[in-house]
C-alpha cells in the first residue's frame, strides 16, 4: 500500500515528517497542500485532518496527523529509531522535541503571528514577533541540551526526534534572521544532522513549487 504525505514545502511540521520518512528509508508520494491558497481548509483536506493542518500521512491503512505522533508511530512500528537510551533519556529527548514543536512552533505559526500583528493594529511587527519567540525558545533549547553529555547529536550519538524537530526550527531561525551564533551545542547537532543525505533530501528547497516565494 502506497504511503502518501500531504505536505507543504515550508511547513516545519511537514519538514520533520519528511526527515523521519527519509531516515526510515520509506518511499512516499508527496502531495502539496498550498497553505497560502487555503487548500488546507478545503473539505477534502479536512477529511484527512479535521484540524485543517499539515502534515497528514496515509500509511498502513490509516491517516495519521500531528508530526510528533507520526514520528513516534514510525519509531514504534520499527521503521526508525528516534528515541534511544534509558527511560529518563527518552523522556528528556521528548522534552527537547516538545520544547520546539509545542512551545516555539505554535507561537510562531504564521496564522498566530499575523493575528497578533493585525489585532495590535501594527503595534506588534510581524518579524519582531517571530524573532522574539524563536530567539527565546532556542536559547532555552540550548540550555536543555546542556543536560546531556557532549555528543554528535542533540541527545546522544544517534539522531533522534529532538534533532528531527531542531533542524526545521533552525531553518526558520535563519529565514527570519535570528542570531543563534552563540548556541554552539544546537548548531553542532544541526551541522551533524545535515551531513546525512536523508536530512538534506528533506530540505524545503527540494519540495518548493516552481515560482514559489524565496
Amino acid at each position: 500500500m502506497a504511503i502518501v504525505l500531504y505536505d507543504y514545502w515550508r511547513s516545519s511540521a511537514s519538514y520533520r515528517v519528511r526527515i523521519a520518512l527519509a531516515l526510515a528509508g520509506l518511499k512516499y508520494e508527496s502531495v502539496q497542500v498550498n497553505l497560502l491558497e487555503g487548500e488546507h481548509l478545503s473539505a477534502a483536506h479536512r477529511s484527512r485532518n479535521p484540524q485543517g493542518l499539515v502534515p497528514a500521512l496515509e500509511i498502513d491503512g490509516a491517516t495519521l496527523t500531528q508530526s510528533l505522533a507520526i514520528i513516534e508511530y514510525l519509531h514504534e512500528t520499527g521503521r526508525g529509531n528516534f528515541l534511544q537510551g534509558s527511560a529518563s533519556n527518552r523522556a528528556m529527548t521528548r522534552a527537547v522535541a516538545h520544547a520546539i514543536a509545542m512551545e516555539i512552533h505554535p507561537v510562531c505559526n504564521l496564522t498566530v503571528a499575523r493575528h497578533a500583528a493585525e489585532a495590535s493594529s501594527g503595534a506588534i511587527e510581524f518579524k519582531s514577533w517571530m524573532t522574539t519567540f524563536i530567539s527565546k525558545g532556542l536559547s532555552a533549547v540550548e540550555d536543555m541540551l546542556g543536560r546531556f553529555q557532549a555528543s554528535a547529536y542533540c541527545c546522544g550519538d544517534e539522531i533522534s526526534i529532538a534533532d528531527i524537530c531542531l533542524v526545521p526550527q533552525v531553518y526558520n531561525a535563519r529565514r527570519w534572521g535570528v542570531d543563534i551564533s552563540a548556541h554552539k551545542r544546537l548548531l553542532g547537532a544541526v551541522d551533524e544532522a545535515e551531513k546525512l543525505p536523508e536530512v538534506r533530501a528533506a530540505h524545503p528547497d527540494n519540495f518548493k513549487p516552481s515560482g514559489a516565494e524565496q
Side-chain angles (χ1 to χ4, degrees):
M1 186 176 295
I3 300 173
V4 180
L5 176 65
Y6 294 90
D7 190 6
Y8 180 64
W9 69 284
R10 196 168 247 170
S11 158
S12 295
S14 296
Y15 191 176
R16 294 173 203 139
V17 173
R18 293 197 303 264
I19 293 172
L21 288 168
L23 289 170
L26 295 174
K27 296 184 181 299
Y28 63 93
E29 177 187 358
S30 174
V31 176
Q32 290 292 306
V33 178
N34 193 318
L35 303 186
L36 299 183
E37 295 182 3
E39 292 179 359
H40 57 301
L41 302 177
S42 68
H45 188 66
R46 284 189 182 275
S47 71
R48 304 178 199 109
N49 186 342
Q51 289 183 284
L53 301 172
V54 290
L57 182 70
E58 292 179 356
I59 186 171
D60 299 338
T63 301
L64 307 180
T65 61
Q66 287 293 335
S67 62
L68 295 192
I70 292 169
I71 293 165
E72 291 212 29
Y73 176 82
L74 296 176
H75 176 84
E76 290 172 2
T77 55
R79 270 75 166 234
N81 181 28
F82 305 133
L83 286 159
Q84 303 98 24
S86 65
S88 61
N89 196 81
R90 296 194 302 273
M92 291 165 62
T93 301
R94 284 189 179 96
V96 174
H98 292 184
I100 297 166
M102 300 182 188
E103 301 293 340
I104 304 173
H105 181 191
V107 179
C108 294
N109 182 282
L110 291 180
T111 301
V112 173
R114 285 179 180 140
H115 177 75
E118 292 169 5
S120 69
S121 299
I124 297 173
E125 185 187 12
F126 183 89
K127 183 177 180 180
S128 174
W129 175 279
M130 301 293 274
T131 57
T132 294
F133 288 104
I134 293 173
S135 180
K136 289 174 63 175
L138 287 181
S139 179
V141 168
E142 177 74 6
D143 290 343
M144 293 174 78
L145 297 185
R147 302 171 66 193
F148 297 88
Q149 291 185 348
S151 56
Y153 297 104
C154 282
C155 308
D157 292 325
E158 297 179 69
I159 195 166
S160 73
I161 193 171
D163 304 277
I164 292 170
C165 289
L166 181 60
V167 168
Q169 189 58 65
V170 167
Y171 167 85
N172 281 338
R174 289 168 171 160
R175 176 188 174 196
W176 293 106
V178 179
D179 182 6
I180 55 174
S181 59
H183 302 330
K184 304 302 184 186
R185 183 71 183 263
L186 70 80
L187 287 174
V190 168
D191 287 346
E192 196 68 24
E194 289 181 337
K195 292 177 184 177
L196 299 174
E198 296 88 350
V199 174
R200 294 197 301 272
H203 192 280
D205 285 352
N206 296 324
F207 294 83
K208 180 170 62 175
S210 176
E213 64 177 17
Q214 294 300 313

